[in-house]
Amino acid sequence: MKPYIVEEYDDGILLFTINRPEKRNAVNYEIMDGLEHALNLANDEKVKVFAITGAGDQAFCSGGDLSAFHSLRTEDEAFEMLSRMSDLLVKLFYLQKPTIALLNGTAVGGGCELASACDFRIARKNVRAGFIQGTLAITTGWGGGTFVTEKLLPANAMKMLMEASLYDAEQLKDLGFVQMITDGDLLESSKHFLDKMLLLEGSVLGAYKMMFINKWEKACLKERVNKEVRRCSELWEDEAHHKQVAKFLGKK
């Protein structure tokens, strides 16, 4: 089974699906390669909107695959992996067209960072999401902390990051993290959410997106993400993190 699926629709939506439901759609290096491939395809002028979802109905993305990354022990080893994914999420963040995360299931840790890199988020009503990295004695490390400081009110962003908790769909909407809750088909719901945007020329959508990209450039977003990644790498090396990961894997 291929670990990811890329589909293009006639209305201009390009959909990237993480296809590892048996691993709760956790990110490994294959998923990183697939996301890079999809982002390159998204630059095509025929694509108006780039969407991301997960296979199945349990998880959108459970973050990094701990079974794959548990062998990373040192700051430098962690930094190499974290910077690889953060570079991709910055590329997603800066994509010159609207982006949307279709939250089919739980989005935790790095999965919440992946969702935060998108412009919009639609969630099924049973979804829960949160930046739980703090429970593993690390911070966000793919840029998600920086992204939510741009997307949410400061107090709401700080609450989500510092509580390291999961929130239900209604709470996520109240926080401003989710823009729409649905109990129907996610892709069809996204088309309803985006219907007026999809009527416009892609060049118009891109021009408006550039207004935000210019703002983020002036706010030194990429440099801030790099600092976030470096700090997470430092914490990754600490024994406190390795103890919490071992404890988590032991539960499983």
Side-chain angles (χ1 to χ4, degrees), residues 74-103:
T74 69
E75 176 183 338
D76 288 343
E77 289 172 341
F79 183 79
E80 183 177 358
M81 180 275 290
L82 295 171
S83 60
R84 164 92 168 107
M85 188 60 177
S86 70
D87 286 347
L88 290 171
L89 293 195
V90 167
K91 190 174 181 179
L92 170 61
F93 197 85
Y94 275 67
L95 192 67
Q96 291 182 33
K97 49 197 68 185
T99 59
I100 187 165
L102 310 182
L103 304 182

Side-chain angles (χ1 to χ4, degrees), residues 15-16 49-54 60 92 98-104 107 111-124 177-180 186 190 193-194:
L15 177 64
F16 176 76
V49 173
F50 183 58
I52 298 178
T53 193
F60 166 74
L92 170 61
T99 59
I100 187 165
L102 310 182
L103 304 182
N104 57 298
C112 209
E113 297 191 61
L114 175 60
S116 72
C118 294
D119 299 318
F120 308 105
R121 283 152 295 282
I122 293 177
R124 285 197 177 131
F177 189 79
V178 162
Q179 282 68 54
M180 177 182 177
L186 270 176
S190 73
F193 178 82
L194 298 163

Side-chain angles (χ1 to χ4, degrees), residues 4 7 48 56 62 102 129 163 189-190 194 232 234 236 245:
Y4 62 87
E7 299 167 289
K48 289 186 177 182
S62 58
L102 310 182
E163 287 189 343
S189 296
S190 73
L194 298 163
C232 181
E234 293 169 354
W236 190 289
V245 171

Side-chain angles (χ1 to χ4, degrees), residues 107-148:
V108 297
C112 209
E113 297 191 61
L114 175 60
S116 72
C118 294
D119 299 318
F120 308 105
R121 283 152 295 282
I122 293 177
R124 285 197 177 131
K125 61 182 181 180
N126 63 334
V127 157
R128 296 201 302 163
F131 298 97
I132 62 165
Q133 288 89 332
T135 64
L136 295 175
I138 55 173
T139 62
T140 51
W142 289 347
T146 301
F147 301 150
V148 292

Side-chain angles (χ1 to χ4, degrees), residues 19 27 54 57 61 65 85 98 105 120 122 142 144-145 159 161 164 171-172 185 193-195 201 203 209 244 248:
N19 190 31
V27 171
D57 58 6
C61 175
D65 189 339
M85 188 60 177
F120 308 105
I122 293 177
W142 289 347
K159 177 182 175 68
L161 294 169
Q171 291 172 315
L172 292 166
D185 181 82
F193 178 82
L194 298 163
D195 60 355
E201 293 294 327
S203 57
K209 183 67 179 282
Q244 289 301 323
F248 176 81

